[in-house]
Amino acid sequence: MTTPPKTMRWNGGPDGWLTMIDQTLLPTEFKEINCKTVEEVWEAIKMLRVRGAPAIGCAAAYGVIIGMQQKIDASSIRDEFDRRLKEVTEYLATSRPTAVNLFWALDRMQDVSLENPSLSPQEMHQRLLEEAMAIEEEDRAMCAAIGQHGAKLIEKGTSILTHCNAGGLATAGDGTALAVMFAAAAQGKEIQVYADETRPLLQGARLTTWELQQRDIPVTLICDSMAGQVMKEKRIQAVITGADRIAANGDACNKIGTYSVALLAKAHNIPFYVAAPSSTFDLSLATGDEIPIEERQPEEITNGMGKQTAPESTRVYNPAFDVTPAELISAIITEHGIIQPVTTEQVRSQIEKT
Ligand SMILES: CSC[C@H]1O[C@H](OP(=O)(O)O)[C@H](O)[C@@H]1O
């Protein structure tokens, strides 16, 4: 088993820069890129060089540090600093609309300013970096806790289907859904995984298989359209996915195709689990109907991975996410434990106390 590389890392102090794996090149090329402007961080999030709800939050937090570098010198005044901080956080918030972790992280960076009115710009810059590092470290711990709680649900010899990539590459730690698999495997439960390729950007084929192979966990790649057949053939005993935003009633938004997998799991009486940290919950939304769904460029479908597979000017609809209603979710696994049954009362009871 090889030690997995870190999804991202900060270099230096407040005047430093962010290094991250460019996930668009995996699995055929492992390349790290350096982001030294806030625009480069914005573009990396937009283009999924860094992706996955928790990882997006961490990257955005570090993007704030970079964005503030232009305005810090001995003559800086705090009002100007705060105006720039608002400008930078609002800019980064436009990169992608669905993963609530992006907005949760940016709000935390703004809160640093509200909670420290008397710090100088230089002191604030240092304090913001400490907050970004805390967000990264907390995410790492949340992943580990999710893994341990989720592994309790996994029997020895279980075959698990997953959709998209909710692994270490989607977080600052071991992932969410994949953290459960890593923990179960480490406990000797001899699991195997079926990974949906996850069109159109193939996070499952490119990233989930790559991560599982690194950990010597048996993985079988299937087309998204094969999920029902493998369930019908009784090859699957559990489904685990990640999430990008979970509403107060437990409706979970995740990569497009997850809702279909949840319906298939229900039809085949297979437990469907969602693994996500508390930072992925948006209790301001009563249900998943209100979750903004990102629509991405048609070329991701008509020219997937650079090869044209549809006629020019073909009309395309490309929603990047869908919402699985709570009634299709057997349990939600968080760093605090298991939410089951998945109801507003259970969600609020666990998440509001955090
Ligand atoms: C641990 S969150 C992972 C989550 O994010 C992915 O979306 P994207 O690759 O577009 O950032 C997908 O929904 C995963 O389940």
Side-chain angles (χ1 to χ4, degrees):
M1 180 180 91
T2 55
T3 304
K6 289 181 74 174
T7 304
M8 72 191 84
R9 64 179 183 276
W10 181 258
N11 303 273
D15 57 354
W17 67 96
L18 180 64
T19 298
M20 63 172 71
I21 297 170
D22 182 345
Q23 298 186 33
T24 63
L25 303 176
L26 289 173
T28 52
E29 184 182 356
F30 180 89
K31 181 182 177 187
E32 291 184 316
I33 56 175
N34 294 319
C35 294
K36 297 190 174 181
T37 67
V38 67
E39 291 78 12
E40 287 171 342
V41 176
W42 188 96
E43 190 271 354
I45 295 171
K46 180 72 177 179
M47 298 309 291
L48 281 75
R49 301 185 198 284
V50 61
R51 39 132 318 266
I56 290 171
C58 290
Y62 284 124
V64 171
I65 311 308
I66 297 170
M68 297 309 294
Q69 289 167 351
Q70 300 151 358
K71 290 288 179 182
I72 303 292
D73 59 37
S75 64
S76 298
I77 58 171
R78 180 63 191 272
D79 284 353
E80 189 182 289
F81 180 95
D82 288 343
R83 268 195 303 277
R84 173 65 178 166
L85 178 59
K86 184 171 184 297
E87 187 180 280
V88 167
T89 51
E90 288 176 352
Y91 169 67
L92 286 162
T94 64
S95 53
R96 294 184 76 188
T98 303
V100 70
N101 305 62
L102 170 64
F103 311 99
W104 168 85
L106 293 172
D107 285 347
R108 266 186 66 165
M109 301 302 274
Q110 280 281 19
D111 289 348
V112 171
S113 173
L114 300 174
E115 292 158 6
N116 298 280
S118 58
L119 292 185
S120 70
Q122 287 83 353
E123 290 166 332
M124 268 298 297
H125 204 194
Q126 176 60 39
R127 180 65 193 80
L128 285 169
L129 177 57
E130 291 163 4
E131 192 71 11
M133 289 177 164
I135 288 171
E136 180 186 1
E137 194 48 45
E138 288 166 23
D139 185 61
R140 197 167 290 122
M142 285 192 279
C143 292
I146 287 169
Q148 293 306 312
H149 288 306
K152 297 170 192 163
L153 297 170
I154 305 302
E155 298 297 323
K156 185 162 187 167
T158 300
S159 180
I160 301 167
L161 183 139
T162 193
H163 191 75
C164 198
N165 172 258
L169 288 167
T171 68
D174 256 358
T176 57
L178 266 62
V180 174
M181 300 172 203
F182 297 152
Q187 293 169 8
K189 293 192 173 177
E190 296 176 355
I191 63 162
Q192 67 164 314
V193 179
Y194 280 76
D196 281 353
E197 61 175 1
T198 315
R199 283 183 55 76
L201 295 181
L202 307 181
Q203 290 93 326
R206 296 186 299 108
L207 309 178
T208 293
T209 56
W210 186 76
E211 288 199 51
L212 291 167
Q213 286 177 353
Q214 284 193 338
R215 305 274 190 131
D216 301 324
I217 295 176
V219 55
T220 303
L221 178 63
I222 60 172
C223 297
D224 302 349
S225 51
M226 298 171 186
Q229 183 61 21
V230 295
M231 291 182 190
K232 185 179 176 185
E233 293 174 358
K234 301 198 184 310
R235 294 172 184 263
I236 308 297
Q237 289 82 45
V239 177
I240 311 179
T241 74
D244 294 84
R245 192 181 304 218
I246 301 173
N249 71 339
D251 289 352
C253 180
N254 196 53
K255 182 55 52 197
I256 189 73
T258 304
Y259 172 47
S260 307
V261 170
L263 286 168
L264 289 167
K266 190 76 174 179
H268 291 276
N269 198 27
I270 295 170
F272 180 91
Y273 301 123
V274 171
S278 49
S279 50
T280 300
F281 285 74
D282 182 352
L283 300 186
S284 72
L285 302 182
T287 73
D289 295 343
E290 306 158 71
I291 297 174
I293 302 296
E294 178 184 19
E295 286 193 42
R296 295 186 62 87
Q297 292 302 313
E299 289 72 26
E300 292 181 351
I301 296 176
T302 60
N303 291 67
M305 302 301 145
K307 177 168 173 50
Q308 183 169 343
T309 53
E312 295 293 342
S313 73
T314 298
R315 185 181 302 171
V316 171
Y317 177 45
N318 184 16
F321 299 95
D322 57 28
V323 177
T324 298
E327 57 265 27
L328 294 178
I329 302 172
S330 308
I332 299 178
I333 305 157
T334 78
E335 73 273 27
H336 301 298
I338 307 292
I339 299 176
Q340 189 176 36
V342 179
T343 63
T344 301
E345 181 187 6
Q346 293 294 325
V347 167
R348 289 195 177 278
S349 158
Q350 185 182 112
I351 299 301
E352 270 175 344
K353 73 186 177 189
T354 58

